[in-house]
Amino acid sequence: MTVIAVLGAGKIGEALLAGLLQGGRGPAELLFTERHPERSADLTERYGIAGVEVAEAAKRADVLVVAVKPQDIEPVLAELAPLVGPNSLVVSLCAGLPTSLYERWLPDGVPVVRVMPNTPMVVGEAMSAVSPGRHATREHVALVTEMLSTVGQVVEVPESQQDAVTALSGSGPAYFFFLVEAMIDAGILLGLPRAVAEKLIIQSAVGAAKMLAETGEHPVILREAVTSPAGTTINAIRELEKHGVRAALLAAIEAARDRSVELGKAHE
């Protein structure tokens, strides 16, 4: 039996625990740490999983999933350092933090796998990218992939691409929420009730995403299918291009990538 401990049971940590349960793991195979006693008690009542201290998690678990905020990582690693060894697998869900940081703090030979998930994990539709550290084997990557597959889809990328992944899919849901928010506001501006505008746009977003996922068509092909000559859509596209929406998205994602790089360098 492989015991998995999630260190930091926030939204992402809780979503992973729920996904692992749904994927067939029993409560006895799972542990979590949580700083707030009330939340810890609530999670134990809801899922039947034991909340423990970091030291207990390190002692009992084969896999330690670190799901704390990046700024809180060093105290956690300092606590883990005397407690883990090559037989432990450390999985980082912390944005911007390289495997070299973990390898520097932890004993030599401890395998580390870096993961960039995103918030749709809470509805079982995460996009997660995994990258092995120096000591991680193909078996370690396979185990992490199997774990994350319970909450969405998984790809493996070289760690050099993780900052780009963070900017693109890690932060990606926020860009879609921002766009949906603006479109709902546009509906209100055009005279629609907010509830109607929300329903129209949210379902349009769901349908468009499903078309992208299921048809396999390039986004350009799908967009052109909606864009009739001299029609309403081409007029809207012209305005989007006029206002530099495409360029703004490119610049925004580059800015997110740069911030991810900064987060990693802050811990060098």
Side-chain angles (χ1 to χ4, degrees), residues 56-149:
E56 181 71 10
K59 178 181 177 182
R60 293 172 56 185
D62 306 290
V63 181
L64 296 160
V65 181
V66 183
V68 301
K69 291 181 172 59
Q71 59 266 31
D72 297 331
I73 188 61
E74 291 184 359
V76 173
L77 292 180
E79 193 168 0
L80 285 179
L83 304 172
V84 298
N87 291 328
S88 303
L89 171 60
V90 175
V91 181
S92 171
L93 304 189
C94 302
L97 302 187
T99 56
S100 59
L101 167 69
Y102 291 81
E103 291 163 354
R104 190 166 67 248
W105 278 83
L106 302 177
D108 188 43
V110 173
V112 180
V113 175
R114 178 177 174 177
V115 179
M116 186 65 244
N118 59 15
T119 56
M121 186 182 287
V122 302
V123 292
E125 293 291 348
M127 185 67 252
S128 300
V130 303
S131 301
R134 286 191 304 133
H135 306 297
T137 66
R138 299 314 306 168
E139 289 75 17
H140 293 131
V141 173
L143 174 58
V144 174
T145 299
E146 182 267 323
M147 289 165 50
L148 294 168
S149 294

Side-chain angles (χ1 to χ4, degrees), residues 43-65:
L43 291 172
T44 297
E45 182 178 357
R46 198 181 319 163
Y47 299 110
I49 302 171
V52 298
E53 298 297 323
V54 171
E56 181 71 10
K59 178 181 177 182
R60 293 172 56 185
D62 306 290
V63 181
L64 296 160
V65 181

Side-chain angles (χ1 to χ4, degrees), residues 136-200:
T137 66
R138 299 314 306 168
E139 289 75 17
H140 293 131
V141 173
L143 174 58
V144 174
T145 299
E146 182 267 323
M147 289 165 50
L148 294 168
S149 294
T150 65
V151 288
Q153 297 192 37
V154 188
V155 296
E156 182 178 351
V157 300
E159 188 169 7
S160 60
Q161 296 177 0
Q162 278 284 6
D163 292 315
V165 169
T166 300
L168 197 62
S169 67
S171 299
Y175 314 146
F176 288 102
F177 298 147
F178 185 86
L179 181 59
V180 166
E181 177 189 0
M183 293 176 74
I184 290 170
D185 286 345
I188 295 168
L189 178 66
L190 297 178
L192 294 173
R194 176 175 290 276
V196 172
E198 286 181 353
K199 188 174 183 66
L200 288 168

